[in-house]
Amino acid sequence: MNFVHIYQHVTGRTKSQFIFNLTESTSTECTKDADLVFLIDTSRSLGLRAYQKELQFVERVLEGYEIGTNRTKVAVITFSAGSRLEFDFNRYNTKADVLQGIRNIPYTDGMSTTIYRALEQARREVFVPEAGDRPSFKNLAVILTDGETNPGSFDPYSFLMGKTLTRQEANQLKFHGVEVFGIGVGHRVDHVEMVGISSGSKNYLRVGDIDDLESSRLFKILLNNVCATCNNKPADVIFMVDKSSSLGSVANFDKELSFIARFVDGFNIGQGPRDVRVGVISFSTDAQLEFGLSSYDDKSSLLNALLNIDFSLGNTYTHKAFEVLLNQGFSTSTRPSTVPSVGVIMTDGQSTNPYKLEDIIMKVKLKGIEIFSIGFGSVDVTELNMMATVPDHTHVFVVDDVHTLDTVRDELYLEICNLIGQS
């Protein structure tokens, strides 16, 4: 999705506008099919039992996919002292053959951990047409390791040079459009390195023990696919968008609107019984309902409505946003009570009146409205937790600043999809 920014000064306020190109959307698409490669650590530090657990994890992930010529295709690379292409996308065309191929991969018990070689091999020998890579399918890579880059005696590189090569190869892979997921198992993992390998921190999973893999968040993402629970399921979602002075500029306000636009593009928007309806509330010194749940019955109209949201300076009266949410946002809904009511609060600071905020939050939650909190900048995490529905770890998202909002988009999408799927 492309955004063209147009700034207009209207009655002393700044209007932020976007032009949305829906034909080039980069948001979450509802399809499981992909070209998927696993990069599997087979080094000595792992041990045979943990290695077998790795293979079982890969098998369980693949249970959630349809494998075939025109569906998901799978490749596997192993690495320790060097890397080895076990099979590429051309090798197997049925799930049974892929799973058997995985079971037949030997444990090499190598003394080095040459992650950079596995990443380079994925780029040069897997995500290429001659290996079966398909340009119209999403490219995914999952790397599992229990350690960190260590050339050892296999390559004539220093420890630091090896890490530099890993970083460079990971960047090359991502530059070529591959979405990378990282899984670090145990206490020997360099988590900074693994976050750097992954396509953002949202794609990295830190697991304390090999036995914890199958209960992990990443396992659920890969196994179920974020779209699977959202198809043909209704929900009402209202975003509360901070436009207080602390944001600093209309450009930063644009980032919030961009986040919303990319997020809703993954849903079936409409007024039908199986559609998702979306509303937006903006707040600073005052709060107002920019558009309600029944305002738009198609995605294009909804996205165009974001063009007309003004940015204005003021304080952070967060409680007023929740008052509008309760008294206007969900008050006129005629949908069955089984349809989830979801509020998403986006803010960069602490509420100007925290006492009134606590009072209105209690009333909102008593109405059964599910609240997700997103904080960025100088945010009060305790307040974010107070506003959100429990548990915090699935309903509270914190990023460094407004520019990194998109790093939590997929996780928020997943959690709301899971909520919708349970209705």
Side-chain angles (χ1 to χ4, degrees):
M1 180 181 297
N2 290 341
F3 302 94
V4 178
H5 300 81
I6 304 172
Y7 305 114
Q8 299 176 340
H9 291 280
V10 181
T11 62
R13 305 170 77 189
T14 304
K15 182 182 292 291
S16 171
Q17 295 191 349
F18 298 102
I19 295 174
F20 301 100
N21 183 351
L22 295 179
T23 63
E24 298 182 14
S25 172
T26 57
S27 65
T28 307
E29 297 179 355
C30 289
T31 176
K32 288 184 178 183
D33 298 324
D35 290 335
L36 172 62
V37 62
F38 290 89
L39 287 66
I40 302 174
D41 191 341
T42 63
S43 59
R44 176 166 296 183
S45 59
L46 196 68
L48 179 60
R49 176 183 171 277
Y51 171 69
Q52 291 170 338
K53 286 281 187 179
E54 280 188 320
L55 298 187
Q56 291 168 10
F57 170 81
V58 174
E59 289 186 52
R60 289 279 290 120
V61 167
L62 293 177
E63 288 178 9
Y65 289 86
E66 294 293 330
I67 294 173
T69 303
N70 296 313
R71 302 303 300 270
T72 292
K73 301 191 78 173
V74 179
V76 174
I77 293 172
T78 56
F79 64 93
S80 57
S83 66
R84 171 175 166 168
L85 177 59
E86 301 294 343
F87 54 86
D88 64 15
F89 297 131
N90 286 325
R91 182 72 175 275
Y92 301 119
N93 287 314
T94 69
K95 184 180 292 187
D97 287 342
V98 168
L99 296 181
Q100 188 58 51
I102 290 168
R103 297 183 192 116
N104 291 338
I105 298 174
Y107 175 50
T108 60
D109 192 27
M111 295 292 289
S112 303
T113 308
T114 57
I115 297 175
Y116 50 87
R117 283 185 172 267
L119 294 168
E120 181 184 17
Q121 192 164 31
R123 176 171 57 87
R124 293 184 180 275
E125 300 181 31
V126 176
F127 291 114
V128 291
E130 52 268 34
D133 180 59
R134 300 163 295 178
S136 60
F137 286 75
K138 190 168 185 178
N139 289 338
L140 305 176
V142 180
I143 179 167
L144 299 92
T145 184
D146 78 323
E148 60 182 320
T149 298
N150 180 15
S153 58
F154 185 81
D155 279 324
Y157 304 132
S158 67
F159 179 74
L160 292 178
M161 178 57 72
K163 284 187 167 294
T164 298
L165 290 172
T166 290
R167 184 172 62 254
Q168 290 173 347
E169 288 297 337
N171 289 339
Q172 285 269 19
L173 197 62
K174 289 180 283 189
F175 178 78
H176 282 80
V178 180
E179 182 90 359
V180 183
F181 294 84
I183 306 174
V185 182
H187 64 277
R188 290 185 292 266
V189 177
D190 183 342
H191 299 293
V192 173
E193 179 178 66
M194 288 300 293
V195 169
I197 291 172
S198 306
S199 298
S201 58
K202 65 182 174 60
N203 280 15
Y204 175 58
L205 175 70
R206 178 175 181 171
V207 180
D209 184 84
I210 194 71
D211 294 315
D212 296 333
L213 268 179
E214 292 197 4
S215 62
S216 70
R217 172 182 57 83
L218 183 57
F219 175 78
K220 294 172 184 175
I221 292 173
L222 291 171
L223 179 60
N224 296 320
N225 188 282
V226 293
C227 297
T229 56
C230 286
N231 287 337
N232 299 317
K233 290 282 191 175
D236 288 340
V237 183
I238 296 179
F239 288 86
M240 293 167 281
V241 187
D242 190 341
K243 58 178 183 179
S244 58
S245 300
S246 55
L247 276 174
S249 69
V250 66
N252 288 340
F253 182 58
D254 287 347
K255 292 290 185 180
E256 291 185 289
L257 300 184
S258 168
F259 177 89
I260 297 172
R262 292 180 181 275
F263 180 86
V264 301
D265 194 37
F267 289 100
N268 295 322
I269 301 298
Q271 298 295 323
R274 295 178 179 271
D275 290 335
V276 173
R277 304 191 303 174
V278 175
V280 172
I281 295 167
S282 65
F283 68 95
S284 55
T285 300
D286 293 305
Q288 67 182 57
L289 182 65
E290 299 289 351
F291 54 86
L293 295 169
S294 59
S295 296
Y296 302 104
D297 58 8
D298 66 87
K299 189 177 298 181
S300 179
S301 298
L302 188 152
L303 293 176
N304 285 333
L306 288 173
L307 305 181
N308 297 313
I309 297 180
D310 295 339
F311 173 66
S312 60
L313 305 177
N315 294 318
T316 310
Y317 284 95
T318 314
H319 72 277
K320 293 186 178 181
F322 281 98
E323 288 174 351
V324 173
L325 180 78
L326 187 62
N327 299 325
Q328 299 180 46
F330 292 114
S331 63
T332 60
S333 178
T334 58
R335 280 186 154 182
S337 59
T338 54
V339 174
S341 296
V342 180
V344 180
I345 178 75
M346 303 171 65
T347 184
D348 76 329
Q350 185 176 10
S351 173
T352 305
N353 194 327
Y355 303 107
K356 286 189 176 181
L357 178 62
E358 288 188 29
D359 289 341
I360 190 64
I361 287 295
M362 290 180 62
K363 296 176 183 178
V364 167
K365 292 181 179 179
L366 284 173
K367 289 290 186 179
I369 301 170
E370 196 91 1
I371 301 297
F372 293 84
S373 297
I374 304 175
F376 48 92
S378 302
V379 73
D380 184 338
V381 176
T382 300
E383 188 170 85
L384 289 178
N385 292 339
M386 182 273 295
M387 291 188 290
T389 304
V390 294
D392 295 342
H393 73 273
T394 61
H395 288 71
V396 178
F397 303 88
V398 182
V399 296
D400 291 337
D401 53 48
V402 71
H403 303 289
T404 55
L405 271 175
D406 273 353
T407 63
V408 298
R409 187 182 70 243
D410 289 346
E411 283 188 63
L412 176 66
Y413 187 87
L414 172 68
E415 295 301 339
I416 293 181
C417 279
N418 285 339
L419 175 66
I420 294 172
Q422 295 166 13
S423 64

